[in-house]
Amino acid sequence: MKSDAVKTGMQQAPHRSLFNALGMTEEELKKPLVGIVSSYNEIVPGHMNLDKIVEAVKLGVAMAGGTPIVFPAITVCDGIALGHIGMKYSLVTRDLIADSTECMAIAHQFDALVMVPNCDKNVPGLLMAAARINVPTVFVSGGPMLAGHVKGHKTSLSSMFEAVGAYAAGKMTEEDVKEYENKTCPTCGSCSGMYTANSMNCLTEVLGMGLRGNGTIPAVYSERIKLAKHAGMQVMEMYRKNIRPRDIMTKEAFMNALTMDMALGCSTNSMLHLPAIAHEAGVELNVDIANAISARTPNLCHLAPAGPTYIEDLNEAGGIYAVMHEISKKGLLNLDCMTVTGKTVGENIKDCENKNPEVIRPIDNPYSQTGGIAILRGNLAPDSAVVKRSAVAPEMLKHEGPARVFDCEEDAIDAIKGGKIKEGDVVVIRYEGPKGGPGMREMLNPTSAIAGMGLGSTVALITDGRFSGASRGASIGHVSPEAAMGGPIALVEEGDIISIDIDNHQLNLLVSDEELAARKAKWQPREPKVTTGYLARYASLVTSADKGAVLQVRK
């Protein structure tokens, strides 16, 4: 056992004295030590039930012959952090989570791990850590929130943000907004649409790192507690068979994840997280491959905000395995990949039928023949940009309009809510990238304001920042190189015409090469917005969005 390094032999007598101080028995020390990484806290709605999940995991580990030991991981609530300086601290926690978990797991020589995450950066951060540490590991999340109900319609967090935009446009009263406020988020859990947290929890199933239902069983269902117990038991089975994360998270597994990303219509943030996780697993994942995968992968799900269905509906329809089963009918998945079940993908999904063709479209009747995400390039984004194509109104798939340029999110929101953005405009928000932000803030507030004011089918938004999975419309993010690095987005001037052609993967500034070169010659780097603390260190080390915004190791 790996843990023998801290508990076996005369040299480890001092270590055992410290285990004695914990009240641990000789019987417990003879068993494998299983670290349970608990993301429980009292500020994130997706985490308020994780204490119960952790207790269930502990019971499962103990029943299967292991000794469970809990230690914590942090999480930021993206919804609470949105629209102010707090959002600079969201993406950056992904690396803090991975680093701190690596420190704890290796310092204490755990034999196996069970990761208990739930929200946006928590899931990819722990997947990154799992790949680094590479001991038998299972994921079990806290589960999704149930949808809210307002005036006979299901709602989710994106409905709430759009209600604020509708109020600003005079389309809702204060009383209407108050009703949304009180009814939109009715339970604990990760917000109920196919936003980033649920996207990553669902893709954890696809990667093979979570048991069936990990991404879709609602947080408040008792079935989630049973799943947690089985996760605790299963990690011990993995330990006995020595099945480890890098045996599971192979290149083929990441290709499966990208394919299912397209089929499900996941958050564009997956285009940041999958390359970062792959990087830790020793797999190179270039985002450019996404278009080739999208070209052959039908989009089968239109979950909120792209459509009127929610994660709870996907769960009832058969969950992620049912979608995988549909997609496998076209031969688009590698069915030989190993998973935490000890079985292959093919063995896991063989009997998983689609129970609701209105939620999971059959393979011969998709929403579209191509996937939910597109990678764009052009003179405005030489190194790529990302758009959630499945959430774009058909009339905005091709668009030309004048640039309305803002150097921070706050200025753009003021202009949108102040009625200064008109039909046909292309809102450009820059200096919000990984380095320039720093921290690459999500732009849910401006996209929701645009949608709420009735401009979602006529106005585009382009940024070197990123979007919440709750964003919809022609929202193009991750523009690389970012403005802070002198990318072309820094050279856009008010009124320049921008051309968007999503079907042909093009994003261009209709300005001559000579004029762009002249502007580039005059451009000067800006002083960093933050010069102290973690954000300053992060900005000095982070790579661009097209590389997954990973931290580079200086040689």
Side-chain angles (χ1 to χ4, degrees):
M1 285 185 281
K2 187 182 181 76
S3 60
D4 285 344
V6 296
K7 65 185 186 183
T8 302
M10 185 54 65
Q11 291 299 316
Q12 280 65 44
H15 304 69
R16 290 193 296 275
S17 73
L18 293 169
F19 282 112
N20 286 334
L22 291 167
M24 201 166 286
T25 65
E26 289 185 13
E27 290 81 1
E28 287 175 294
L29 289 177
K30 289 177 181 177
K31 298 175 182 179
L33 302 185
V34 180
I36 301 174
V37 187
S38 171
S39 305
Y40 172 75
N41 61 57
E42 295 182 341
I43 188 64
V44 183
H47 291 236
M48 63 179 286
N49 66 323
L50 293 192
D51 55 342
K52 295 177 176 61
I53 300 295
V54 166
E55 287 304 312
V57 171
K58 288 173 68 176
L59 184 57
V61 169
M63 285 193 296
T67 297
I69 302 172
V70 179
F71 66 88
I74 65 166
T75 309
V76 164
C77 177
D78 277 29
I80 295 174
L82 272 166
H84 56 88
I85 191 173
M87 182 43 67
K88 294 178 184 288
Y89 285 88
S90 172
L91 178 61
V92 304
T93 63
R94 187 185 69 180
D95 295 276
L96 281 176
I97 292 161
D99 292 349
S100 59
T101 303
E102 173 195 355
C103 291
M104 289 292 289
I106 295 178
H108 301 102
Q109 292 291 285
F110 287 106
D111 296 297
L113 297 168
V114 181
M115 306 295 197
V116 188
N118 209 27
C119 289
D120 291 25
K121 311 311 166 295
N122 193 232
V123 183
L126 290 179
L127 282 165
M128 291 165 67
R132 277 189 212 170
I133 299 160
N134 203 34
V135 298
T137 303
V138 174
F139 277 67
V140 56
S141 76
M145 185 184 291
L146 295 177
H149 291 82
V150 178
K151 300 185 190 311
H153 298 284
K154 284 186 176 182
T155 60
S156 60
L157 186 64
S158 54
S159 312
M160 185 69 252
F161 279 91
E162 289 177 19
V164 174
Y167 173 77
K171 297 181 179 181
M172 273 195 187
T173 66
E174 187 173 344
E175 290 73 23
D176 291 331
V177 175
K178 190 71 174 178
E179 184 176 8
Y180 272 85
E181 184 180 330
N182 288 327
K183 296 181 179 179
T184 290
C185 298
T187 71
C188 63
S190 49
C191 296
S192 55
M194 188 54 84
Y195 309 148
T196 305
N198 290 328
S199 294
M200 294 311 302
N201 278 324
C202 290
L203 293 179
T204 298
E205 279 192 62
V206 180
L207 281 170
M209 291 297 294
L211 297 175
R212 182 181 182 182
N214 180 60
T216 60
I217 298 171
V220 295
Y221 283 13
S222 297
E223 189 181 354
R224 174 69 53 181
I225 300 296
K226 293 167 65 177
L227 180 74
K229 292 175 184 176
H230 282 126
M233 290 185 267
Q234 191 58 37
V235 82
M236 294 308 301
E237 186 66 19
M238 292 177 67
Y239 170 76
R240 285 186 278 271
K241 293 180 178 178
N242 196 30
I243 300 173
R244 295 181 291 172
R246 290 196 179 199
D247 301 322
I248 295 170
M249 290 193 283
T250 62
K251 183 174 183 179
E252 292 75 19
F254 283 103
M255 292 301 103
N256 283 350
L258 280 173
T259 298
M260 285 295 294
D261 193 325
M262 300 301 168
L264 290 165
C266 291
S267 163
T268 52
N269 281 317
S270 61
M271 292 295 105
L272 279 176
H273 299 322
L274 287 174
I277 299 160
H279 175 75
E280 297 293 350
V283 175
E284 184 177 349
L285 193 64
N286 190 319
V287 293
D288 281 333
I289 199 170
N291 283 338
I293 292 175
S294 178
R296 62 177 182 259
T297 306
N299 177 228
L300 304 185
C301 298
H302 266 194
L303 298 155
T309 54
Y310 295 79
I311 299 295
E312 63 194 65
D313 302 313
L314 178 58
N315 186 64
E316 296 302 320
I320 299 306
Y321 278 19
V323 185
M324 294 176 76
H325 188 261
E326 284 290 343
I327 286 295
S328 71
K329 293 175 183 177
K330 282 194 72 172
L332 296 176
L333 296 178
N334 187 312
L335 302 180
D336 295 326
C337 293
M338 179 51 61
T339 71
V340 294
T341 65
K343 299 177 181 179
T344 64
V345 168
E347 290 173 309
N348 286 342
I349 69 172
K350 65 179 180 179
D351 297 320
C352 300
E353 296 296 334
N354 180 1
K355 299 176 183 178
N356 189 340
E358 297 301 313
V359 176
I360 305 170
R361 286 283 185 92
I363 195 71
D364 56 0
N365 183 34
Y367 283 101
S368 65
Q369 292 294 341
T370 54
I373 288 178
I375 304 298
L376 311 183
R377 284 183 183 271
N379 69 352
L380 189 51
D383 292 342
S384 75
V386 180
V387 63
K388 189 171 183 175
R389 173 166 43 193
S390 60
V392 178
E395 57 267 36
M396 289 298 290
L397 291 171
K398 190 169 186 176
H399 178 75
E400 285 188 7
R404 305 298 310 279
V405 183
F406 304 94
D407 287 352
C408 68
E409 178 187 5
E410 289 83 357
D411 290 349
I413 292 170
D414 288 345
I416 295 165
K417 292 186 176 179
K420 297 178 181 178
I421 302 302
K422 307 301 181 185
E423 290 187 5
D425 285 350
V426 179
V427 176
V428 176
I429 305 177
R430 61 191 181 189
Y431 293 99
E432 291 284 9
K435 283 185 180 292
M440 201 180 185
R441 289 195 285 180
E442 285 186 345
M443 301 292 163
L444 179 57
N445 270 344
T447 59
S448 297
I450 287 170
M453 297 185 76
L455 297 172
S457 60
T458 59
V459 170
L461 193 154
I462 297 172
T463 181
D464 53 7
R466 59 192 179 90
F467 295 109
S468 163
S471 291
R472 62 187 175 98
S475 304
I476 299 168
H478 305 196
V479 171
S480 301
E482 63 176 289
M485 299 299 290
I489 191 172
L491 310 179
V492 181
E493 296 183 357
E494 187 80 7
D496 285 346
I497 302 300
I498 293 176
S499 172
I500 300 165
D501 188 345
I502 293 173
D503 285 338
N504 290 305
H505 308 116
Q506 289 291 307
L507 180 62
N508 287 292
L509 182 63
L510 301 186
V511 171
S512 70
D513 292 344
E514 292 77 14
E515 173 63 18
L516 282 178
R519 294 182 188 179
K520 177 69 173 177
K522 296 177 184 176
W523 179 82
Q524 293 291 325
R526 300 197 174 189
E527 289 296 318
K529 294 178 184 176
V530 180
T531 57
T532 60
Y534 179 60
L535 286 181
R537 295 198 301 277
Y538 179 88
S540 71
L541 295 172
V542 70
T543 61
S544 64
D546 64 297
K547 301 293 191 299
V550 298
L551 300 185
Q552 59 191 347
V553 178
R554 290 180 174 171
K555 297 180 180 178

